[in-house]
Amino acid sequence: MAPDSRRLALYPGSFDPFTYGHLDIVKSAVNLFDQLEITVAINSEKQGLLSVGERCEIIRETVADLPSVVVVPFEGLLVNHARRRGASALVRGLRQVSDFDYEFRMAFANRKLAPEIETVLLLTSEEHAFTSSSIVRDVLRWGGDISHFVPPTVARALEKHRSGK
Ligand code: PNS
């Protein structure tokens, strides 16, 4: 297949940190698109747990066995980045009904700005329906076992971060 006829989707998010729920979505999306870019948003207004560079590095290690996936940091308007990259779709994950409102608003805003780019909402597995980055940050903060919520690559990096190494 010619490179320019490949379908690229972006999976944007903060991923602070990347969880099993995110990994679920990546695994579903790689079966739907030729290429998937995990787009790690830089939010200069929000002090994250991990730097965007650290997040990208950890995610790259986590998805190293998925050759059609790349991990790219980005700052700005998502649809501008998507157009520059030639993406045809934006992928987002849905865990519960309560995610719907936010995702709908974002999808419609993005559609207004870039009608040619489709938002595709994918369901997380039931097992990870209650996993979120904020829960992981909280469990980590209070010394709990994060291995239920994040892949081993992420858990190792977070433990290192916690111990300041
Ligand atoms: O994982 P998150 O924090 O829910 O991801 C939100 C994200 C980064 C995808 C969203 O805030 C975003 O796209 N930010 C870039 C700015 C933008 O394009 N805003 C308009 C769409 S609402």
Side-chain angles (χ1 to χ4, degrees):
M1 191 186 284
D4 54 8
S5 64
R6 285 167 167 249
R7 286 203 168 265
L8 167 71
L10 306 190
Y11 176 31
S14 303
F15 307 114
D16 188 32
F18 191 81
T19 66
Y20 273 130
H22 295 132
L23 189 57
D24 265 355
I25 300 300
V26 168
K27 285 182 175 167
S28 299
V30 292
N31 292 326
L32 297 172
F33 297 95
D34 301 310
Q35 290 183 306
L36 182 73
E37 175 191 296
I38 302 176
T39 310
V40 183
I42 299 169
N43 184 349
S44 42
E45 286 170 18
K46 222 160 69 179
Q47 170 69 43
L49 171 70
L50 300 165
S51 73
V52 170
E54 286 171 317
R55 284 179 233 170
C56 288
E57 212 173 291
I58 296 167
I59 300 169
R60 279 190 196 110
E61 196 187 339
T62 309
V63 300
D65 59 333
L66 300 171
S68 64
V69 180
V70 292
V71 182
V72 173
F74 114 102
E75 186 168 25
L77 197 63
L78 183 62
V79 291
N80 288 348
H81 174 74
R83 278 181 171 147
R84 275 196 299 270
R85 297 283 288 132
S88 55
L90 304 172
V91 169
R92 292 280 293 174
L94 281 180
R95 291 162 301 183
Q96 309 151 39
V97 178
S98 54
D99 285 341
F100 233 72
D101 184 50
Y102 173 56
E103 294 304 330
F104 250 56
R105 279 187 282 126
M106 201 151 66
F108 278 113
N110 285 331
R111 178 184 273 178
K112 268 268 182 272
L113 296 166
E116 78 282 13
I117 301 174
E118 203 63 60
T119 293
V120 177
L121 299 175
L122 298 176
L123 300 184
T124 328
S125 67
E126 283 167 51
E127 198 191 340
H128 300 300
F130 294 95
T131 298
S132 69
S133 295
S134 60
I135 283 182
V136 176
R137 290 197 298 271
D138 213 32
V139 173
L140 184 77
R141 182 164 162 232
W142 298 108
D145 181 4
I146 53 171
S147 68
H148 300 288
F149 312 109
V150 297
T153 44
V154 181
R156 275 197 299 275
L158 290 179
E159 292 298 349
K160 233 163 118 182
H161 193 269
R162 172 158 59 186
S163 62
K165 281 184 209 148

